[in-house]
Amino acid sequence: MEQPPRLPSPARAGGPVRPLPRHRPFLLLCGEQIASSVGRQVTTLALALIAVTRLDAGPFGASALMALSYLPGALLSPFAGLLVDRARLRALTILLTVLQTLVVGSVPLAAALDRLGLPQLYVVATVSGALTSMLAVALQAALPRVVHPGQLLSANSALTGARTTGQIGGPALGGVLVGLTGASTALLAACTAYGVEALLLLALPAALDTPAEHRPRPGSRTAALRGGLAVVRGERLLRRQVLAGAGFNLGSGAADALFVLYATRDLGLPPWQLGTVYAAFSVATVLGVLLARRFATTTGLAAATRICAVVAALAIFLIPAASLLPAFPTLLGYQFVFGLAATVWAISMTTTQQLITPPELQGRVAGVVQAALTVTVPVGALGGGALAAWLGNVPVLTGGATVALLAAARLWAR
């Protein structure tokens, strides 16, 4: 049986350890997460609305927009991890954020010139998704260089809470801006958020960069990439968590793709109830952030991952069950239970990965893990949409929940 990593105690560190509330680099990362989350939420909403309302994209066009935002990141994440381990990390994160600002800003510029079309929107979604994925890998690798190993669980919880703040406020801000100024102009607010993100990253210390002695040797790209894959394959606990997460995302991706259509057309939920259902997820995420450290410390990181994976998978069965039970409270229960369990699972899994991985391989391992977890999301979404047109929504939602549960159950296998 695999040995789960232990959480080191900051009190046993060789030197003084700064508390997270007074840790300036960490607080800068929290601010960056809020700004980036707001920017991405506004961007996602505005691009989707432009595609549907202004450019008359059909269901497949809207699905393709979502798939293009995920697939490039999944394909490029391992190479992004290698770049993270080789590059000056602080400069790289700033460059990625500046490029994100320029790419997203091209949409309102083209709209003002009356040159905006679906091809440009697909290119923007593709490049923006790739940049988002690369930045996520970079910041995941950066955290163990910023805080003590014993603070990783609390730090990951706090960063998740910061992202959640943006995920709650971002759609609301985006909706207001779209209503007042139009979707294209609202993207200027997203660019402003990316600009704030770049300034916060600029304020990070140069010590964030990979030490020269830990950087892979030039010319050994293939061997360097294999180094990250070798950690995932060689560490049984990490390998099982990645496989379970990938399978889970395959099933939940199908459910996510059908959720709005199913809730509005099949169940007849009015807009205010659908909005309340999504708000329940946000509340559950905040609660998960608050409970993650206590639960993972009490049960252990590996046990917390196993328990929360199964609970999150079981919650997905509440979606098709809403066709038999009172729909509104059933979907409220789904979003709350799923949001709580999935948040604790993600925090525990990320902390486990960072504790297992050697410092010089953080970027490459993060890239491999992110690629494996991300690539199945658009596959599940597109596959679920295609099967639902043939079989109907409820059978596909039930099948997606079953796939997610079988994947989560692998974590319990001996």
Side-chain angles (χ1 to χ4, degrees):
M1 183 177 177
E2 69 267 14
Q3 294 297 319
R6 296 177 179 270
L7 284 170
S9 170
R12 296 179 182 177
V17 178
R18 283 174 289 178
L20 293 181
R22 298 198 298 271
H23 196 307
R24 182 174 176 272
F26 174 71
L27 294 178
L28 288 170
L29 286 179
C30 287
E32 180 276 337
Q33 289 290 288
I34 295 173
S36 66
S37 183
V38 168
R40 284 166 183 77
Q41 291 295 321
V42 174
T43 299
T44 300
L45 176 63
L47 289 180
L49 288 174
I50 292 171
V52 173
T53 62
R54 178 168 179 163
L55 302 177
D56 297 323
F60 182 77
S63 298
L65 193 67
M66 172 190 160
L68 287 172
S69 67
Y70 277 98
L71 280 176
L75 298 175
L76 294 175
S77 287
F79 300 97
L82 176 59
L83 179 62
V84 164
D85 285 337
R86 281 182 166 171
R88 298 184 182 278
L89 194 52
R90 176 170 164 271
L92 176 63
T93 57
I94 295 169
L95 175 62
L96 292 173
T97 307
V98 171
L99 290 175
Q100 183 79 274
T101 306
L102 296 175
V103 169
V104 173
S106 71
V107 175
L109 177 61
L113 298 174
D114 201 23
R115 297 287 184 86
L116 184 61
L118 272 176
Q120 179 180 349
L121 220 59
Y122 290 145
V123 171
V124 168
T126 301
V127 177
S128 178
L131 292 171
T132 298
S133 177
M134 292 178 67
L135 186 61
V137 171
L139 293 175
Q140 198 173 114
L143 186 61
R145 304 175 192 173
V146 172
V147 303
H148 183 271
Q151 296 175 308
L152 278 174
L153 183 57
S154 296
N156 279 313
S157 298
L159 290 177
T160 302
R163 282 195 300 273
T164 301
T165 301
Q167 289 166 359
I168 294 172
L173 175 63
V176 170
L177 290 173
V178 168
L180 292 176
T181 66
S184 297
T185 308
L187 287 173
L188 295 176
C191 293
T192 301
Y194 296 137
V196 172
E197 181 185 7
L199 291 175
L200 291 169
L201 291 170
L202 183 63
L204 285 170
L208 198 69
D209 295 339
T210 306
E213 63 271 16
H214 286 166
R215 295 176 189 169
R217 295 189 305 274
S220 58
R221 184 176 304 170
T222 302
L225 283 171
R226 287 175 180 168
L229 182 60
V231 173
V232 177
R233 293 178 61 184
E235 294 287 347
R236 186 166 179 260
L237 175 60
L238 184 57
R239 182 177 71 251
R240 290 174 64 174
Q241 288 187 356
V242 170
L243 291 174
F248 181 92
N249 285 346
L250 180 67
S252 64
D256 286 343
L258 298 172
F259 185 81
V260 173
L261 180 68
Y262 168 73
T264 54
R265 293 189 183 176
D266 292 9
L267 303 180
L269 260 66
W272 74 267
Q273 288 187 348
L274 186 62
T276 304
V277 164
Y278 276 109
F281 178 85
S282 300
V283 172
T285 302
V286 173
L287 184 59
V289 168
L290 296 175
L291 295 179
R293 176 172 175 79
R294 180 181 295 274
F295 184 68
T297 302
T298 303
T299 64
L301 284 171
T305 303
R306 288 196 298 266
I307 293 170
C308 291
V310 170
V311 172
L314 289 172
I316 301 176
F317 283 97
L318 290 174
I319 304 178
S323 62
L324 303 174
L325 302 172
F328 181 44
T330 302
L331 292 183
L332 277 176
Y334 154 69
Q335 291 282 21
F336 187 83
V337 175
F338 182 86
L340 177 61
T343 299
V344 178
W345 178 15
I347 292 171
S348 300
M349 182 175 171
T350 300
T351 304
T352 299
Q353 171 195 314
Q354 291 167 335
L355 288 172
I356 287 176
T357 305
E360 67 275 13
L361 290 169
Q362 287 285 348
R364 278 163 283 174
V365 171
V368 170
V369 171
Q370 181 164 287
L373 295 180
T374 304
V375 73
T376 54
V377 175
V379 173
L382 293 176
L387 287 173
W390 177 37
L391 301 173
N393 288 329
V394 171
V396 175
L397 288 168
T398 305
T402 303
V403 170
L405 181 60
L406 290 174
R410 285 180 53 86
L411 292 170
W412 292 84
R414 295 292 179 181

